[in-house]
Amino acid sequence: KNGTTVIFVSHNMESVLSLCGRAMLLVNGQVTREGEPAEVIAEYCRVGGIWVPPLSDRKKAVIKEVTFEGVDSFGKALYPGTHLICKVAIDCLEDCRISPGLFITQFGSFVFDTTYGRMKGKPLSLSAGECAELSWSIDLNLPNGSYDLGVHLEDADTGLYHEHNFRAVHLLIGNDFRYEGKYILNPTVALGRRYQPKDDRLKQTSL
């Protein structure tokens, strides 16, 4: 209404249907369908509806370990709004600029997705042999159901992925009649320590 066009990019078809007046489907960078959201979503589902990440043939960084805090057990349903911390340890194999990401999917469709570069305004630059630890923090304000939480390492220069793990952990969210904050996850990300392993000891750098 103010003469402004907003471009919304998502794999969450519910959001596309509710927010967009027109939609476009891209497959391998090419426009394959454009028009009413319902028609484009139907085509999205017809061709598979599952995005396949373009992986780099040359891995410059790898995810060494993913750990979690704030949850006693993922074997039982979690309350909506549960605060979860996801720690990702990264090993750099070559000098690189990466944008690590955290995302949540349900039945193959993205319901939440963010990256380090998007939140910090710049990629994470690492040197060969360097290690880094990221700490993601989110509130699991999700409707009751089954979800997968994943992590990835995107190359900031090429857009290709050095790592892409669709399921770092499986989440089961229980029902709660008091729950109202649908999909408001309040994400934050913090860079912890960076270090260069040397003689099996960690040479730590204070940030």
Side-chain angles (χ1 to χ4, degrees), residues 126-156:
L126 296 174
S127 301
E130 187 176 10
C131 302
E133 294 180 355
L134 285 182
S135 181
W136 293 96
S137 175
I138 56 173
D139 298 322
L140 296 174
N141 289 316
L142 298 166
N144 65 303
S146 178
Y147 302 87
D148 289 316
L149 182 148
V151 291
H152 67 62
L153 300 179
E154 180 182 6
D155 192 294

Side-chain angles (χ1 to χ4, degrees), residues 169-186:
V169 70
H170 182 69
L171 304 172
L172 183 62
I173 306 298
N175 200 3
D176 189 333
F177 69 92
R178 297 166 297 179
Y179 166 71
E180 296 179 352
K182 184 177 181 181
Y183 299 129
I184 303 175
L185 276 66
N186 306 313

Side-chain angles (χ1 to χ4, degrees), residues 47-61:
V47 299
I50 298 177
W51 175 71
V52 178
L55 300 177
S56 174
D57 292 331
R58 184 174 179 177
K59 281 191 176 184
K60 296 183 179 180

Side-chain angles (χ1 to χ4, degrees), residues 91-112:
D91 285 355
C92 181
L93 307 179
E94 298 182 27
D95 292 355
C96 63
R97 300 190 324 131
I98 58 175
S99 185
L102 179 80
F103 59 91
I104 295 176
T105 60
Q106 184 178 40
F107 310 124
S109 294
F110 286 78
V111 299
F112 171 78

Side-chain angles (χ1 to χ4, degrees), residues 7-203:
I7 299 177
F8 177 66
V9 182
S10 179
H11 288 273
N12 184 341
M13 295 301 102
E14 180 181 338
S15 296
V16 171
L17 190 60
S18 63
L19 296 175
C20 302
R22 192 168 183 81
M24 179 185 298
L25 177 63
L26 297 178
V27 177
N28 296 324
Q30 302 297 317
V31 177
T32 60
R33 190 67 181 263
E34 182 179 0
E36 294 294 324
E39 298 176 355
V40 177
I41 289 173
E43 177 66 11
Y44 172 86
C45 295
R46 188 190 70 78
V47 299
I50 298 177
W51 175 71
V52 178
L55 300 177
S56 174
D57 292 331
R58 184 174 179 177
K59 281 191 176 184
K60 296 183 179 180
V62 295
I63 296 173
K64 183 179 180 181
E65 185 180 27
V66 180
T67 57
F68 299 92
E69 295 179 2
V71 174
D72 294 331
S73 172
F74 289 105
K76 60 183 180 181
L78 306 175
Y79 286 109
T82 296
H83 186 71
L84 178 67
I85 296 175
C86 173
K87 293 187 174 182
V88 181
I90 303 168
D91 285 355
C92 181
L93 307 179
E94 298 182 27
D95 292 355
C96 63
R97 300 190 324 131
I98 58 175
S99 185
L102 179 80
F103 59 91
I104 295 176
T105 60
Q106 184 178 40
F107 310 124
S109 294
F110 286 78
V111 299
F112 171 78
D113 177 30
T114 191
T115 67
Y116 181 92
R118 191 181 307 160
M119 297 188 67
K120 295 295 187 180
K122 61 181 180 180
L124 174 62
S125 296
L126 296 174
S127 301
E130 187 176 10
C131 302
E133 294 180 355
L134 285 182
S135 181
W136 293 96
S137 175
I138 56 173
D139 298 322
L140 296 174
N141 289 316
L142 298 166
N144 65 303
S146 178
Y147 302 87
D148 289 316
L149 182 148
V151 291
H152 67 62
L153 300 179
E154 180 182 6
D155 192 294
D157 296 315
T158 66
L160 301 177
Y161 291 86
H162 300 298
E163 290 268 1
H164 201 292
N165 182 352
F166 272 105
R167 179 186 278 189
V169 70
H170 182 69
L171 304 172
L172 183 62
I173 306 298
N175 200 3
D176 189 333
F177 69 92
R178 297 166 297 179
Y179 166 71
E180 296 179 352
K182 184 177 181 181
Y183 299 129
I184 303 175
L185 276 66
N186 306 313
T188 64
V189 61
L191 178 61
R193 58 179 182 169
R194 298 171 63 157
Y195 55 91
Q196 287 277 2
K198 184 176 181 181
D199 298 331
D200 297 324
R201 295 189 300 274
L202 300 182
K203 181 180 180 182

